[in-house]
Amino acid sequence: MSKHQYGEIMMGPGKEFDIIRRMIHRWGGLVRNIGDDAAILDVPRGERLIVSTDISVEGVHFKREWFTPQEIGFRSAVAALSDLAAMGATPLGLLVGLTVPDRWLTELDGVAGGIGAAVMSNDTVIVGGDTTRGEVLTLAITVLGHTRAPLRRTAAVPGDRVYVTGKLGGPLTALRALEKGETPSKEARERLATPMSRVGEGRWLLEHGARAAIDISDGLVADACHLAAASDARIDLDLDQLPLISGASALDAAQSGEEYELLVVSTRKLDEKAFYERWYTELTEIGMVAAVGNPSVVAYLHGERVDIGGGFDHFAPNRLPAEG
Amino acid sequence: MSKHQYGEIMMGPGKEFDIIRRMIHRWGGLVRNIGDDAAILDVPRGERLIVSTDISVEGVHFKREWFTPQEIGFRSAVAALSDLAAMGATPLGLLVGLTVPDRWLTELDGVAGGIGAAVMSNDTVIVGGDTTRGEVLTLAITVLGHTRAPLRRTAAVPGDRVYVTGKLGGPLTALRALEKGETPSKEARERLATPMSRVGEGRWLLEHGARAAIDISDGLVADACHLAAASDARIDLDLDQLPLISGASALDAAQSGEEYELLVVSTRKLDEKAFYERWYTELTEIGMVAAVGNPSVVAYLHGERVDIGGGFDHFAPNRLPAEG
């Protein structure tokens, strides 16, 4: 262990370096391998490297008045870690890229603390990053992980069962209330402000026979579309089976984005009870991969086919998906 | 090779995905492994993983009127790749995180083209990323590479020789002209707008005995300070030896940031001639590691000690370092 690890970083003077020092102090033992131009990591022998970048922008992905600085940091890190979960990967570490407006400098400890809480709860570390000033608070978080045989979006085949983790509908229900200036329920708000990345769950699912997965960031149906497109398959979903948070309808749950739950496809039947006993989280069978070709998602509610449009699109004029 | 590689990415509808598709089309064969929640890569057996993130923000790191969209993309990618160069690493790929304001949508092909040019000239590929809208064009680029025994900032010991690649002073000279509304010289402007990342050069230096390195992003003296601090050593620099672009003074060259040249420390004497013949770039001995303890940089000009402050700080009120 060299002396510049664990936060004893040696740097020259300057305001930018003071900010980095402050964050490193805040993160303490969560910081590793910082101090060179780049971080040096080792991927276990025989394992593949899994990497993803996720960007959160103030005013696009979150409004300052809706969340505490801690929550903003936490959910940004969770959004990135969730991509490792969807691959069944074990985290190696995070790179934290921050663009910080002057008005945010006093809140930076909170943002850093939130990132640190997500890092700690996923049993990983911060291995590097970049900090700069700028007009809009932007968190660009890169996650690195490893696994021997990752879950792929392309792997779904007809006859496979489709599962989802957790309970859906929280983020959309909470956003709808916040947009109206109302107070969301505690359960809904928690699912929006402090979602969980299902990293351990993703690994468990991979080990127990899951073939394909995607995390629910755009909405269940929208993400099922991505999976159907990648696997060139039709996926049938029974919305009556969707696990709901209280106050959410099945249509809400089908469209709610930023859930960070996992949509999982498995040839083998998965043991929902064993999953719950290990993770205190639901695993629910909600459909099947029905046919090859004409990639699409067909959703049923009360036995009737329902048409649900695409999901969340950061370039669309409205932040909130249309009500179903 | 699965079908979602090489740009044949399968995704659902939406404006955000249209933008990603457009960039993937622009990049063509430079895109690999895109289509899952995260990219899957392999680090060669026995090699270590090297990763770094670099952020470029419009109005902080560049002004739109100074550069073409291609140049903005190119220099952002070079800034990130330069961190691999400083470690002596071979690139595995880039993750490109883009925040795009509406007014930039028509210029996005240019930005993507510039990133692609930097990627191609460093013989690497684009393996993933994230795209979102936002008020300020922001490029968050993560680079991944590998090497067996990376160059470290901590490795300098007394008696080591200090070298620098290329010719210095271009970016500062060009910025000074641009800030005054004047036209910089072609040579200076090129060094600012289309700098080179010394990836091949860094690997060569590592293979030929270099022990420590840092890329010059904050300025020669400022980055020498980082290296001195990390190695707990005093570094003496002879500014009379600095290789200059025409029109730059030695003091300019000592302070010019965003050079992306390499400051290298080697116990063994390096062969400047062989380096030039291989890379058509200068390698110049400019100082030595003088003592252990009291980490500092002492700079001499015409035999006199000169005091040069710190370098570039994105949080400082002025973008341009003070004139020497």
Side-chain angles (χ1 to χ4, degrees), chain A:
Chain A
M1 192 185 312
S2 65
K3 71 179 171 190
H4 66 282
Q5 289 184 336
Y6 294 98
E8 278 189 62
I9 179 166
M10 307 292 179
M11 281 185 303
K15 198 173 169 189
E16 183 167 349
F17 297 121
D18 289 342
I19 289 170
I20 296 174
R21 277 195 198 88
R22 218 172 86 193
M23 290 199 302
I24 288 172
H25 178 74
R26 183 78 179 73
W27 285 328
L30 290 177
V31 172
R32 303 279 164 87
N33 303 93
I34 284 187
D36 269 300
D37 287 87
I40 305 167
L41 298 169
D42 293 304
V43 177
R45 198 161 147 175
E47 301 267 301
R48 311 196 73 184
L49 171 65
I50 310 295
V51 288
S52 180
T53 287
D54 202 274
I55 303 175
S56 298
V57 182
E58 182 181 1
V60 179
H61 299 87
F62 58 88
K63 287 190 180 177
R64 187 177 187 175
E65 57 269 31
W66 289 352
F67 302 110
T68 66
Q70 283 82 356
E71 287 167 349
I72 289 167
F74 186 87
R75 64 200 299 276
S76 299
V78 162
L81 284 159
S82 179
D83 289 325
L84 292 184
M87 308 291 284
T90 302
L92 275 171
L94 276 77
L95 298 165
V96 179
L98 287 180
T99 306
V100 186
D102 287 343
R103 66 182 182 282
W104 270 95
L105 286 177
T106 53
E107 306 290 357
L108 208 57
D109 283 353
V111 175
I115 294 170
V119 165
M120 207 184 309
S121 72
N122 283 282
D123 199 20
T124 186
V125 289
I126 294 162
V127 296
D130 191 14
T131 305
T132 179
R133 70 177 174 83
E135 289 306 302
V136 182
L137 183 70
T138 303
L139 301 93
I141 298 187
T142 300
V143 286
L144 303 122
H146 63 89
T147 183
R148 193 167 291 264
L151 294 165
R152 305 290 296 262
R153 291 185 185 182
T154 47
V157 295
D160 281 357
R161 296 160 190 264
V162 177
Y163 295 86
V164 71
T165 62
K167 292 181 178 178
L168 303 179
L172 178 57
T173 308
L175 272 174
R176 208 178 266 154
L178 289 167
E179 293 272 8
K180 287 182 193 158
E182 295 168 4
T183 303
S185 75
K186 186 166 175 292
E187 185 185 11
R189 190 184 179 285
E190 272 182 10
R191 291 285 308 138
L192 178 66
T194 54
M196 291 291 119
S197 47
R198 301 299 187 190
V199 168
E201 293 86 336
R203 208 161 45 201
W204 188 98
L205 290 161
L206 173 60
E207 286 162 3
H208 287 77
R211 304 166 58 94
I214 190 169
D215 73 323
I216 302 177
S217 49
D218 296 337
L220 175 71
V221 168
D223 288 305
C225 282
H226 299 325
L227 209 155
S231 289
D232 191 32
R234 196 187 90 213
I235 294 175
D236 290 353
L237 296 178
D238 181 0
L239 302 188
D240 293 301
Q241 303 305 319
L242 294 190
L244 310 174
I245 70 142
S246 57
S249 72
L251 286 176
D252 293 343
Q255 296 172 94
S256 177
E258 304 184 353
E259 293 275 354
Y260 306 118
E261 296 295 349
L262 298 180
L263 179 66
V264 185
V265 171
S266 178
T267 305
R268 210 186 296 175
K269 183 164 170 51
L270 296 173
D271 187 340
E272 290 105 327
K273 188 161 168 286
F275 182 88
Y276 187 85
E277 282 167 0
R278 174 67 186 82
W279 301 105
Y280 298 102
T281 300
E282 296 72 15
L283 178 69
T284 311
E285 190 171 345
I286 59 167
M288 66 177 297
V289 182
V292 73
N294 292 318
S296 56
V297 173
V298 180
Y300 295 91
L301 186 64
H302 313 322
E304 301 275 317
R305 192 168 160 165
V306 288
D307 186 28
I308 294 179
F312 187 89
D313 181 348
H314 292 124
F315 282 93
N318 287 311
R319 164 92 189 54
L320 200 67
E323 293 193 19

Side-chain angles (χ1 to χ4, degrees), chain B residues 12-24:
Chain B
K15 198 173 169 190
E16 183 168 350
F17 298 121
D18 289 342
I19 289 169
I20 297 173
R21 276 194 199 92
R22 221 172 83 192
M23 289 199 302
I24 288 172

Side-chain angles (χ1 to χ4, degrees), chain B:
Chain B
M1 191 185 315
S2 66
K3 71 178 171 193
H4 65 282
Q5 290 183 335
Y6 294 98
E8 278 191 61
I9 179 166
M10 307 291 177
M11 281 185 305
K15 198 173 169 190
E16 183 168 350
F17 298 121
D18 289 342
I19 289 169
I20 297 173
R21 276 194 199 92
R22 221 172 83 192
M23 289 199 302
I24 288 172
H25 178 74
R26 184 76 179 74
W27 286 327
L30 291 177
V31 173
R32 303 279 163 87
N33 304 93
I34 284 186
D36 269 300
D37 288 86
I40 305 166
L41 298 170
D42 293 304
V43 177
R45 197 161 147 177
E47 301 267 301
R48 311 196 72 184
L49 171 65
I50 310 293
V51 288
S52 179
T53 287
D54 201 273
I55 303 175
S56 298
V57 182
E58 183 181 0
V60 179
H61 299 86
F62 59 87
K63 287 191 180 176
R64 187 177 188 175
E65 58 269 31
W66 289 351
F67 302 111
T68 66
Q70 283 82 357
E71 287 167 348
I72 288 167
F74 186 87
R75 64 200 300 277
S76 300
V78 162
L81 284 159
S82 180
D83 289 326
L84 293 184
M87 308 291 283
T90 302
L92 275 171
L94 275 78
L95 299 164
V96 180
L98 288 180
T99 305
V100 186
D102 287 343
R103 67 181 182 282
W104 271 95
L105 286 177
T106 53
E107 307 290 358
L108 208 57
D109 284 353
V111 175
I115 294 169
V119 166
M120 207 184 310
S121 71
N122 284 281
D123 200 20
T124 186
V125 289
I126 295 162
V127 297
D130 191 13
T131 305
T132 179
R133 72 177 172 83
E135 289 306 302
V136 181
L137 183 70
T138 303
L139 300 93
I141 298 186
T142 299
V143 286
L144 303 123
H146 63 88
T147 185
R148 193 167 292 266
L151 294 165
R152 306 289 297 261
R153 291 185 184 182
T154 46
V157 296
D160 282 357
R161 296 160 190 263
V162 178
Y163 295 86
V164 72
T165 63
K167 292 180 178 177
L168 303 179
L172 178 58
T173 307
L175 273 173
R176 209 178 266 153
L178 288 167
E179 292 273 7
K180 288 181 192 160
E182 296 167 2
T183 303
S185 74
K186 187 168 175 290
E187 186 186 10
R189 189 184 181 285
E190 272 182 12
R191 291 285 307 138
L192 177 68
T194 54
M196 290 292 118
S197 48
R198 302 298 187 191
V199 168
E201 291 87 335
R203 208 162 45 202
W204 189 97
L205 291 162
L206 172 59
E207 286 163 4
H208 286 77
R211 303 167 59 95
I214 189 168
D215 72 323
I216 301 178
S217 49
D218 296 338
L220 174 72
V221 169
D223 288 306
C225 282
H226 299 323
L227 208 153
S231 288
D232 191 32
R234 195 186 92 214
I235 294 176
D236 290 354
L237 296 178
D238 180 0
L239 302 188
D240 292 302
Q241 303 305 320
L242 294 190
L244 309 174
I245 71 144
S246 57
S249 72
L251 286 175
D252 292 343
Q255 296 173 92
S256 177
E258 303 184 355
E259 293 276 355
Y260 306 119
E261 297 296 348
L262 299 180
L263 179 66
V264 185
V265 171
S266 178
T267 304
R268 209 188 295 177
K269 183 164 169 49
L270 296 173
D271 187 341
E272 289 107 326
K273 189 163 168 286
F275 183 87
Y276 187 85
E277 281 168 1
R278 174 67 186 85
W279 301 105
Y280 299 103
T281 300
E282 296 72 16
L283 179 68
T284 312
E285 190 172 344
I286 59 167
M288 66 178 298
V289 182
V292 73
N294 291 317
S296 56
V297 172
V298 180
Y300 295 91
L301 185 64
H302 312 324
E304 301 275 315
R305 193 170 160 163
V306 288
D307 185 29
I308 295 178
F312 187 90
D313 181 347
H314 292 124
F315 281 93
N318 288 310
R319 162 90 189 56
L320 200 67
E323 292 192 21

